[in-house]
Amino acid sequence: MRVREVEKEILEAFGLEKDVVSVSSYGNGHINDTFALEQKTQEGRKQYIIQHMNKEVFREPELLMENIAGVTEWLRKKIIEEGGDPERETLNVRKTTDGKYSYKDKDGEFWRVFHFVEDADCYEQVKNPDDFYQSALAFGHFQCLLSDYPAHTLHETIPDFHNTPRRYENLMRAVEEDCEGRVCEVLEEIEFAKARKDYTHVLCDLQKNGEIPLRVTHNDTKLNNILIDHETGKGICVIDLDTVMPGLAMNDFGDSIRFGASTAAEDERDLSKVSCDLSLFEVYARGFMEGCAGALTAKEVEHLTDGAIMMTLECGMRFLTDYIEGDHYFRIHRPGQNLDRARTQFKLVQDMEQKKTQMNEIVRKIAKEAEGV
Ligand code: ADP
Ligand code: GN1
Ligand code: MG
């Protein structure tokens, strides 16, 4: 999919066509095309984030923007109640000049604009464990702020997003169809997934049986979806709200571990560098449980480690499926990148499986400490 240009038509739709200093590609998201716009103002300079929304992934961009508007307005109220700064602690949507949350251009493509959160950074890998801890606090707190959000008003932006058994079926269908002739290259990876078919059901079954609750969750809690404040070092703003939907707390926990507790980049080719760092796992588990402020049930806590393994396995299967199908979903910057991503995820799964007892012990220890024993 080609990256689109931000044409004058788009800037005009949002009333941003004047005094533009620059518009440039921004960030490392795999899904939307993101740009930073810098504008000259009387006070100096102001920035905005402009995004071309991915219509292949999000079939109903207008409904998605209704979700984001609802959630950000809700967060804004709660942040004000807590004495926080709603301009920096939540995303703020800039409406079009005719009052809409997104703009449909002449080609039928959808665009949106957010206020840029200044003086904050987003990281691709953990450099300082405290940043990871702060991100955990913030993602946990995010879940807390949305704990009484009217979940029934949320549109399902991607059906079955974290339905891991369904992701497994999708992989098997892709293997069957083999439309790009790539299956012969990935037989080992397919076997890896097949050996875990039963495991894919574990969390979904617990939820179906009513043993764990559905909550309003973020569903895409990787480290580069949080902004860390330059000055305070706190996780100031949770971004990328496209997949805020009813989901499982363990999946929000797990997706952060998948990405942030890995010792290597998501697309690392040297698999000997890839493992799950238990000290980072501990740092994150502590922050997340603290951020959730005692809201997690004992059953959820018991399955946090499964959340980490499940999200990593699921993500690996999604990357593998996309590779087999010809790289239509996740943006790639080089051939084979989705296969490399799938391989790192499976390597991590294997490593976490070996460390599962230790991971569970860490979680139990933190939960005990939190009970004030
Ligand atoms: P994607 O869905 O493609 O991952 P994101 O919404 O996560 O897109 O945005 C991509 C990147 O743009 C983020 O990782 C972050 O670096 C940056 N970004 C997004 N929104 C903002 C914002 N409001 N202020 C500052 N940076 C932002
Ligand atoms: C995508 O949008 P981004 O880059 O934050 C994906 C996540 C994956 C992640 C893997 C909507 O996240 O589900 O876990 O890539 N988002 C969507 O890095 O599919
Ligand atoms: Mg993102």
Side-chain angles (χ1 to χ4, degrees), residues 144-162:
C144 223
L145 293 180
L146 292 175
S147 59
D148 47 353
Y149 190 81
H152 65 278
T153 63
L154 285 170
H155 309 286
E156 202 178 14
T157 55
I158 302 181
D160 290 316
F161 191 56
H162 286 318

Side-chain angles (χ1 to χ4, degrees), residues 182 185 267 269 323 327 332-343:
R182 292 179 173 177
E185 299 167 38
D267 61 350
R269 279 188 260 201
Y323 178 71
D327 306 305
I332 53 166
H333 305 281
R334 56 177 163 81
Q337 194 173 13
N338 274 324
L339 177 55
D340 294 335
R341 290 169 176 158
R343 286 178 170 151

